[in-house]
Amino acid sequence: MALSLLSTALCLILIFSQSLPSSVSSSKETNFLDQDPTAYEILGDYNFPKGLLPKGVVAYSLDTATGKFSAFLNGTCSFSLEGSYQLQYKSSIDGYISKGRLSRLRGVSVKLFFMWVDIIEVSRNGDDLEFSVGIAGAGFPIDNFEECPQCGCGLNCVGDNRKVSKIRSNPFVSSS
């Protein structure tokens, strides 16, 4: 009799566990791989254009409770945008995302004069994006970021028929 009750209980547990979704988790952190939204689509959900990230993001994670995110590339990535700015992305980019604001960024740098400085924050202000490197910042029209740049060649890759105008910007200025 006890063996029969144990068997029945095990069968019910197996049936019940099979009917639960396999993604049930106590953590709010989600890793999106397969056919879930892309990192570029997630940027759109937070009111940012997809062109903030270069082509080739292979995975990302997002904790929707805190806004902590990470995006992963196959390796480091660098390119120039119309000769105006040189950018570097590490293989892992992370920070915190909220509507219209990326903060505490790590993994993205811009070359100013002869030195590389980290971009630590991006905020959306109407139709402009404001980039901060801490002591200075620059504003760019959001339409500059409609397309994702490609590692090595930016927006002017060989075989690419798009004509891209020079990046329009407000030069980096002091934040004081």
Side-chain angles (χ1 to χ4, degrees), residues 2-173:
L3 187 57
S4 168
L5 284 176
L6 183 59
S7 313
T8 304
L10 285 174
C11 283
L12 287 173
I13 290 171
L14 284 173
I15 291 169
F16 181 72
S17 68
Q18 298 274 331
S19 66
L20 287 176
S22 60
S23 62
V24 171
S25 171
S26 60
S27 170
K28 293 273 186 179
E29 185 168 325
T30 308
N31 288 314
F32 298 101
L33 298 171
D34 307 322
Q35 298 300 333
D36 289 322
T38 66
Y40 309 102
E41 292 167 332
I42 295 297
L43 282 174
D45 291 345
Y46 287 91
N47 209 21
F48 284 106
K50 66 182 180 180
L52 283 179
L53 289 172
K55 290 180 182 177
V57 171
V58 295
Y60 73 94
S61 66
L62 173 63
D63 182 330
T64 56
T66 65
K68 180 155 179 46
F69 75 90
S70 297
F72 306 97
L73 302 166
N74 275 331
T76 59
C77 175
S78 61
F79 52 87
S80 291
L81 292 175
E82 290 294 313
S84 299
Y85 294 96
Q86 287 183 286
L87 293 167
Q88 285 183 339
Y89 289 76
K90 292 184 177 178
S91 59
S92 176
I93 304 146
D94 47 47
Y96 289 83
I97 191 168
S98 59
K99 282 283 187 200
R101 185 169 181 224
L102 294 164
S103 60
R104 293 191 267 174
L105 283 173
R106 291 188 321 217
V108 184
S109 302
V110 62
K111 190 172 187 180
L112 297 179
F113 303 107
F114 299 104
M115 59 190 259
W116 288 95
V117 292
D118 293 331
I119 296 174
I120 60 170
E121 185 169 299
V122 180
S123 57
R124 182 164 180 173
N125 184 10
D127 288 336
D128 292 321
L129 291 178
E130 304 290 327
F131 292 78
S132 173
V133 295
I135 59 170
F140 299 88
I142 201 161
D143 61 356
N144 285 344
F145 301 91
E146 290 175 356
E147 296 297 322
C148 296
Q150 188 170 320
C151 297
C153 56
L155 295 171
N156 283 328
C157 300
V158 175
D160 191 351
N161 293 328
R162 288 179 289 144
K163 293 287 182 198
V164 178
S165 61
K166 189 153 183 80
I167 298 295
R168 298 181 318 233
S169 71
N170 300 323
F172 276 87
V173 294

